[in-house]
Amino acid sequence: MSLQNHPGINYENLFNYSTMQHDIVAHVLTLGFVAHAAGIVYFAFAQKDIHPRLRTATIMSCFIMAAAALNLFRQFSSWNDAFTWQGSAYVMEQTFSNGFRYFNWFITLPLLLTQPMFVFGIKGKSFMRNTLIFVTASAVMVLTGYIGQMYEVTNPFLYWLWFILGSIAYVPLLVVLYRVYFVDRQKVPVHIEKLVKGLFYFQVAAWTIYLFAYLMPALSFTPNGVVTRHLLYTIADISSKFIYGVWLSYIALKISAEKGYQPAVEKLTALD
């Protein structure tokens, strides 16, 4: 049976790669691992300057960083094991799979979605309602993406069908996320308001990069398309987890200072 007829195969396995193509993928996966490993240390130390009532989001970032770092290390190892140098190109020795990413997202995406509510002071029924929608919609979106990527080589119809179903689940998630940032949250000073609005648009933009990475088999069915896919995945990972987490923790630091929390005031003074 050819690979094109093998259910569950990812399109990375259909090509041979030049040294440059192979190494770029290996290097960007390494970059993603190192960024998130460093993030564990950053958020572990950052939480001490944030008001205890807002600190939960920063603690959650430590778990998100750990899960992402482990996944990217697994992806890097899988990529290096899957292809061996045959004198003129890197050739598949064993299959490479992007499926591990989806199980990581099962863990990290609900955490990323609920983090802002701890910073923005959303509680009670609003917190429970938003969390239920976040967890349900993200689980559906990740599950449909996981199923869809199994057909990216063998069945274009099912590949696009599961992509569309996942995109439908993305809509309520975005609607509730908008409510968290602009409707349900507590009011903050104008200078913090700008940071909050900016973070919302940055978060949506970062997540959109994942959609383009998922669609690379349809956009560029070539070795360079594979390289582009992993560049996009790594950019999205670092943006939507690490940079997003730093931005959110800075907002939490600002709000903590507004509440008169002395460690936050001292930290911001040192930064200024």
Side-chain angles (χ1 to χ4, degrees), residues 98-168:
N98 279 308
F100 297 105
R101 291 184 179 275
Y102 293 84
F103 289 93
N104 173 63
W105 294 334
F106 267 119
I107 299 170
T108 58
L109 188 51
L111 295 177
L112 287 165
L113 289 165
T114 54
Q115 272 183 295
M117 292 194 288
F118 291 101
V119 175
F120 300 155
I122 299 174
K123 303 175 183 178
K125 291 182 179 179
S126 294
F127 181 90
M128 296 303 296
R129 180 196 67 229
N130 294 343
T131 300
L132 178 61
I133 296 173
F134 280 151
V135 172
T136 303
S138 64
V140 171
M141 189 170 65
V142 173
L143 179 60
T144 53
Y146 176 71
I147 296 173
Q149 57 92 32
M150 291 185 174
Y151 297 104
E152 64 187 26
V153 171
T154 59
N155 193 321
F157 172 77
L158 291 178
Y159 169 69
W160 282 102
L161 174 63
W162 287 107
F163 170 76
I164 292 170
L165 291 175
S167 299
I168 292 172

Side-chain angles (χ1 to χ4, degrees), residues 1-248:
M1 180 186 294
S2 68
L3 287 178
Q4 287 89 337
N5 296 323
H6 195 288
I9 200 77
N10 287 143
Y11 95 129
E12 281 88 343
N13 299 290
L14 302 183
F15 309 107
N16 296 337
Y17 299 95
S18 68
T19 303
M20 180 179 291
Q21 291 167 335
H22 178 273
D23 287 356
I24 288 175
V25 174
H27 294 161
V28 297
L29 290 172
T30 302
L31 173 64
F33 164 72
V34 171
H36 290 90
I40 299 173
V41 179
Y42 173 83
F43 292 114
F45 282 96
Q47 61 183 293
K48 64 182 176 60
D49 298 318
I50 296 172
H51 194 286
R53 292 183 180 178
L54 310 179
R55 199 173 289 167
T56 301
T58 308
I59 295 172
M60 290 168 72
S61 283
C62 291
F63 290 102
I64 292 168
M65 294 299 105
L70 287 171
N71 171 68
L72 286 163
F73 180 77
R74 179 65 182 83
Q75 291 290 106
F76 167 78
S77 298
S78 178
W79 177 261
N80 275 349
D81 292 342
F83 303 95
T84 58
W85 181 250
Q86 298 292 340
S88 60
Y90 278 91
V91 178
M92 190 190 75
E93 184 75 20
Q94 61 189 46
T95 57
F96 171 85
S97 174
N98 279 308
F100 297 105
R101 291 184 179 275
Y102 293 84
F103 289 93
N104 173 63
W105 294 334
F106 267 119
I107 299 170
T108 58
L109 188 51
L111 295 177
L112 287 165
L113 289 165
T114 54
Q115 272 183 295
M117 292 194 288
F118 291 101
V119 175
F120 300 155
I122 299 174
K123 303 175 183 178
K125 291 182 179 179
S126 294
F127 181 90
M128 296 303 296
R129 180 196 67 229
N130 294 343
T131 300
L132 178 61
I133 296 173
F134 280 151
V135 172
T136 303
S138 64
V140 171
M141 189 170 65
V142 173
L143 179 60
T144 53
Y146 176 71
I147 296 173
Q149 57 92 32
M150 291 185 174
Y151 297 104
E152 64 187 26
V153 171
T154 59
N155 193 321
F157 172 77
L158 291 178
Y159 169 69
W160 282 102
L161 174 63
W162 287 107
F163 170 76
I164 292 170
L165 291 175
S167 299
I168 292 172
Y170 191 34
V171 174
L173 188 152
L174 288 177
V175 170
V176 177
L177 192 68
Y178 179 87
R179 288 189 58 87
V180 166
Y181 275 86
F182 298 103
V183 180
D184 294 341
R185 68 173 172 81
Q186 296 179 352
K187 290 184 178 180
V188 294
V190 175
H191 65 284
I192 300 177
E193 184 90 27
K194 292 180 180 179
L195 287 170
V196 172
K197 289 181 178 179
L199 181 58
F200 172 79
Y201 294 113
F202 176 82
Q203 189 173 9
V204 173
W207 288 354
T208 303
I209 298 173
Y210 284 112
L211 299 180
F212 287 102
Y214 179 92
L215 290 174
M216 281 312 298
L219 298 174
S220 179
F221 205 86
T222 64
N224 284 333
V226 171
V227 174
T228 302
R229 175 187 239 186
H230 288 278
L231 281 169
L232 291 175
Y233 269 140
T234 302
I235 291 170
D237 281 335
I238 294 175
S239 299
S240 66
K241 297 182 178 72
F242 180 67
I243 297 177
Y244 158 80
V246 171
W247 195 326
L248 185 63

